[in-house]
Amino acid sequence: MMLEDEDYLDAICHVIRTETVNAEYAAAITGDNFAAMFAGMEDDYMRARAADVKDISARLIRILSGQDEAELAAAEPSIIVADDLSPSETVQMDKSKILAFVTVHGSTNSHTAILARMMSIPALIGVPLDLNEIGTGMTAIVDGDAGEVIFEPTEAECGEAQKKIESEREKLRLLGELRGKANETRDGRKINIYANIGSVSDVGYVLENDAGGIGLFRSEFLYLGRDDFPSEEEQFAAYRQVVQMMGQKKVVIRTLDIGADKQADYFALGKEDNPAMGYRAIRICLKQPEIFKTQLRALLRAAAYGNLSVMYPMITSAEEVRQIYAIVGEVEQELKAAGVPYRMPEQGIMIETPAAVMISDELAEMVEFFSIGTNDLTQYTLAIDRQNQKLDDFYNPHHPAILRMIQMVVDNAHKCGKWVGICGELGADTALTEAFVDMGVDELSVAPPMVLKVREKVRAM
Ligand code: PEP
Ligand code: MG
């Protein structure tokens, strides 16, 4: 779009004509001018566009001067340093080539950070860096635990890092001994520990870490990093593969939760002033049921192949659940009429809005399980945009309001004989594992690399 922008093109042509310079030079000057203009703007969003202009100009200059694109496919495993990374950019990367992420912007509660945690990739978010000083091919040490990056480290620093890597490996080896062991406290109380995934290939991490099931498959990641909707067949193949790989183990697939930071251009969601409180998740599915029905058909068909449950995100009312059931009912009738094999899966909802917490007694009668999304529940309860880096210090999922809400949801579910899990990042917080078991939480669904750490905690209780 930028390269079709008349102002940008006119400016380049003008520099070529008036200064009689070559196109590369004109593109460089124009890029600098536009970037400076954006950088001087009041609005945070517009200011951040300076990096886009620089990026486009750099690519244009590279092409004009006949330099090759950096061969990413052939690149060795690397640390990615970027101004920012969107979830759609992150899901497209070849994970085997990423050693770590370092970004100047972004929040630790964003889906890019969540993706990194899921894949066990050290990630530093919101690091104040001058990207002009960092070049491809530099050496760096990224320490995710300490939140530190060192560029061009000394030999002594490399030695230190190597020691830390080895001690981390040893810790992982010890944790590995917990594979195959029960998630049981010393006095015999049990809790299920499942894992969160974003794609079919993540099932490898789930099995490697011996999770008891999948408590959250963020299906919207199948919709990101592409030009058009995934077809019913494509989705069916993905969901079936996951349930087949998991054998008898439970796989909870969350329906499309697109919107907010998870954007795909072809949805044409438009710009919103408050995207986190905007047109997202189940709201899109209820307003555009044709998108929802395609996914539901794929889910009901895949359910015939294993232990699949379906979960609906961002619920705020009983009426939404009734509307969902009406659409699911239509899909079921259509499959039946067409003679397509399917099975009705277990159906539950995410509890991630304060409204859903407050009416969880009523909702518990309507659904088969709850899964508490503490990431959004914290955002909506504390009125803190989880994407806003400036608020990371205020984002406190240990707030008593959140903990009391969890207890309330568990009690209301159990009164109706329903199970409750936690699938937000808080589920993996081992400082609270004991509290969750005490509250009666039935399941914790965590990033795969956290499964054995949580198990270790439970077994020590
Ligand atoms: C949550 O909100 O806690 C959750 C699990 O969903 P997501 O992080 O994808 O919004
Ligand atoms: Mg959520």
Side-chain angles (χ1 to χ4, degrees), residues 111 216 218 254 262 350 352 373-376 386 423-424:
H111 283 91
L216 169 64
R218 288 181 165 94
R254 171 173 80 185
K262 289 171 286 196
M350 291 199 62
E352 51 185 346
T374 51
N375 308 336
D376 279 318
R386 66 194 263 196
C423 64

Side-chain angles (χ1 to χ4, degrees), residues 223 232 235 239 255 285 289-303 310 312 323-332 335 342-343 345 347:
Y223 291 70
E232 176 184 328
Q235 292 190 59
Y239 305 147
T255 59
C285 290
E290 65 291 355
I291 297 176
F292 195 27
K293 283 174 93 172
T294 303
Q295 180 170 41
L296 288 170
R297 267 195 299 274
L299 287 166
L300 266 60
R301 288 172 57 197
V310 175
Y312 307 105
Q323 285 181 28
I324 291 168
Y325 284 167
I327 296 173
V328 173
E330 280 172 32
V331 168
E332 186 185 7
L335 290 173
Y342 74 94
R343 184 179 67 80
Q347 295 178 80

Side-chain angles (χ1 to χ4, degrees), residues 315-348:
I315 297 298
T316 60
S317 70
E319 179 52 29
E320 284 162 356
V321 179
R322 277 190 281 276
Q323 285 181 28
I324 291 168
Y325 284 167
I327 296 173
V328 173
E330 280 172 32
V331 168
E332 186 185 7
Q333 287 314 316
E334 285 162 17
L335 290 173
K336 199 185 273 174
V340 179
Y342 74 94
R343 184 179 67 80
M344 270 314 287
E346 180 186 41
Q347 295 178 80

